[in-house]
Amino acid sequence: MSNKTGKKILLSGVKPTGQAHIGNYFGAMKQFLDLQNSGDYECYFMIADYHALNLIQNADEMHKLTQELVLDFLAIGLDPKKAVLFKQSDVSAHTELAWIFDTIVTMPYLMRAHAYKDAEAKNKEINVGTFNYPVLMAADILLYNTDVVPVGQDQKQHVEYARDIAEKFNFIFKDSANVGATTFKLPQPLILENVATVPGIDGRKMSKSYNNTIPLFATREEITKAVMGIVTDSGGPENGGIPANVYAIHKLFKSEAELKPLYEANKGKYKNLKEALIEDIDAFIKPIREKRVELVKKADKVVSKTLAEGAKCANKIVQAKLEQAKRAVGVI
Ligand code: TYM
């Protein structure tokens, strides 16, 4: 802890690459909210637009998706009075520090990253931004003296890369006369075991790229469509009439104790169980969906105000760390 408040520092981010889904929410955004409201952390929540640029290469779409994600953040209850909500590209220190890290990170090391290996296995042509993804993410995290990074399981390796990069930097530049013993603090991932990987409607990890999501702000119709599409007839035994994929998603909304009698009374009756799940998802989404509808009415104003305030605050916070790193490497 090295900040003025004496609180632990928390940072996380979401890419504006499409509609937020309940995997994003339960895997990460719900933790953002709970930890923000605990009052125990100094919180930074980032819209990772430069990371999204690897995928979204259309200005109108980038503007739209960024605005949508700010509204999502606000609608779930992230609060600019309690946390800094900002956009990565507004804080140029991120890309500046990433360049410094680029000079100490090796290509073989980045070639071991899951995301790179997956893309390579699919014979995809990989741009340098995707290859370098973990380096920019390390800069995102390390600039803020971050203690904890709440994320889903798929981001664990990225937080480990940030730790490795911090250690390597601290080691290489430890003798710089004008810096203290260490420049960067080693962050910890914060992953909740039961929601580390939220499954999608086909039982694989819920992901925009698999087209198996339930949108976080889905309408009743969209919820119905998604739930009716949950795969019940494949992917392993149905545990004596309990459809595994339906149950796995239902567990996010109700406790296992609450679900037990429902599933026992409806063994093999998949339609009943799916209807109950639709009710439970809708009951959960309805209030945040309504809040979001209200926010949309004043979207332009709310979004620009939130991002302007966030950018101002984040830029101020990172100056000292960036300067420390630049001194350590000897460019100032
Ligand atoms: P992104 O935008 O892919 O996802 C945002 C968060 O949602 C989590 N998540 C899931 N958790 C559980 N089950 C799922 N099915 C599921 N799908 C998504 C992700 O783990 C993530 O926590 N690289 C990051 C963005 C980023 C970032 C950062 C995060 C950029 N810089 C610095 C933390 C710190 C990403 O692509 O998240």
Side-chain angles (χ1 to χ4, degrees):
M1 278 177 270
S2 59
N3 55 333
K4 290 194 194 90
T5 57
K7 291 181 181 178
K8 286 207 172 195
I9 300 172
L10 179 155
L11 176 137
S12 196
V14 181
K15 287 192 307 265
T17 48
Q19 266 184 331
H21 53 73
I22 62 167
N24 298 129
Y25 183 77
F26 287 102
M29 288 157 78
K30 181 173 187 301
Q31 278 66 262
F32 300 179
L33 184 65
D34 293 345
L35 296 165
Q36 167 199 271
N37 291 342
S38 75
D40 295 338
Y41 295 88
E42 185 177 309
C43 295
Y44 298 89
F45 301 121
M46 183 184 77
I47 308 238
D49 56 346
Y50 271 158
H51 276 123
L53 191 55
N54 286 308
L55 205 72
I56 306 298
Q57 301 188 334
N58 173 294
D60 289 341
E61 212 185 334
M62 181 65 88
H63 283 301
K64 183 172 160 282
L65 290 170
T66 301
Q67 185 170 75
E68 302 262 308
L69 191 51
V70 177
L71 296 174
D72 295 348
F73 274 7
L74 296 172
I76 65 162
L78 298 185
D79 181 352
K81 293 199 186 71
K82 298 182 187 161
V84 182
L85 310 187
F86 72 101
K87 175 157 76 76
Q88 189 179 32
S89 64
D90 281 336
V91 187
S92 55
H94 290 234
T95 41
E96 200 173 341
L97 183 62
W99 178 261
I100 295 178
F101 289 159
D102 276 342
T103 65
I104 62 164
V105 173
T106 68
M107 287 183 44
Y109 176 73
L110 288 180
M111 283 173 177
R112 291 202 290 273
H114 302 316
Y116 172 77
K117 286 205 287 196
D118 290 350
E120 208 196 26
K122 289 181 193 141
N123 271 331
K124 283 194 184 161
E125 198 170 56
I126 300 158
N127 61 31
V128 177
T130 301
F131 183 62
N132 241 3
Y133 191 109
V135 181
L136 179 57
M137 186 155 155
D140 298 337
I141 296 170
L142 299 177
L143 261 177
Y144 294 79
N145 257 342
T146 302
D147 293 286
V148 287
V149 188
V151 280
Q153 180 69 25
D154 60 355
Q155 298 299 316
K156 185 170 184 237
Q157 190 191 41
H158 285 147
V159 182
E160 284 162 2
Y161 268 47
R163 289 174 63 89
D164 288 351
I165 292 172
E167 270 190 310
K168 189 165 185 184
F169 183 102
N170 290 345
F171 178 75
I172 293 175
F173 297 106
K174 67 180 181 305
D175 296 328
S176 300
N178 43 11
V179 264
T182 55
T183 306
F184 293 109
K185 193 195 275 183
L186 269 49
Q188 292 284 354
L190 192 110
I191 299 171
L192 296 188
E193 211 182 308
N194 56 342
V195 285
T197 305
V198 172
I201 61 170
D202 58 359
R204 292 186 293 170
K205 180 189 117 174
M206 186 173 288
S207 167
K208 291 159 209 165
S209 50
Y210 294 157
N211 221 350
N212 65 355
T213 65
I214 302 177
L216 177 56
F217 297 94
T219 60
R220 174 88 184 193
E221 293 70 42
E222 286 167 332
I223 297 169
T224 306
K225 187 163 172 266
V227 171
M228 286 308 171
I230 297 179
V231 179
T232 50
D233 58 353
S234 64
E238 302 284 22
N239 308 329
I242 294 181
N245 293 337
V246 179
Y247 189 72
I249 294 176
H250 218 156
K251 266 195 322 195
L252 300 166
F253 299 91
K254 283 235 163 109
S255 72
E256 300 206 33
E258 283 171 300
L259 291 179
K260 203 164 174 257
L262 176 75
Y263 278 72
E264 266 172 12
N266 287 285
K267 273 199 179 139
K269 297 180 189 157
Y270 296 168
K271 189 160 175 288
N272 291 0
L273 292 171
K274 284 186 168 181
E275 275 165 6
L277 176 58
I278 292 168
E279 285 306 323
D280 290 335
I281 298 180
D282 196 38
F284 164 80
I285 290 184
K286 198 165 177 268
I288 56 170
R289 192 173 60 211
E290 286 173 356
K291 186 164 168 205
R292 199 177 185 289
V293 168
E294 287 310 305
L295 285 164
V296 167
K297 291 181 189 156
K298 40 184 179 168
D300 286 346
K301 207 170 140 207
V302 172
V303 171
S304 53
K305 183 166 182 275
T306 304
L307 290 181
E309 280 173 7
K312 199 169 155 205
C313 186
N315 273 301
K316 211 162 126 198
I317 293 282
V318 297
Q319 281 323 306
K321 184 59 63 186
L322 181 66
E323 200 184 304
Q324 195 186 352
K326 287 170 82 170
R327 277 190 202 291
V329 301
V331 293
I332 51 173

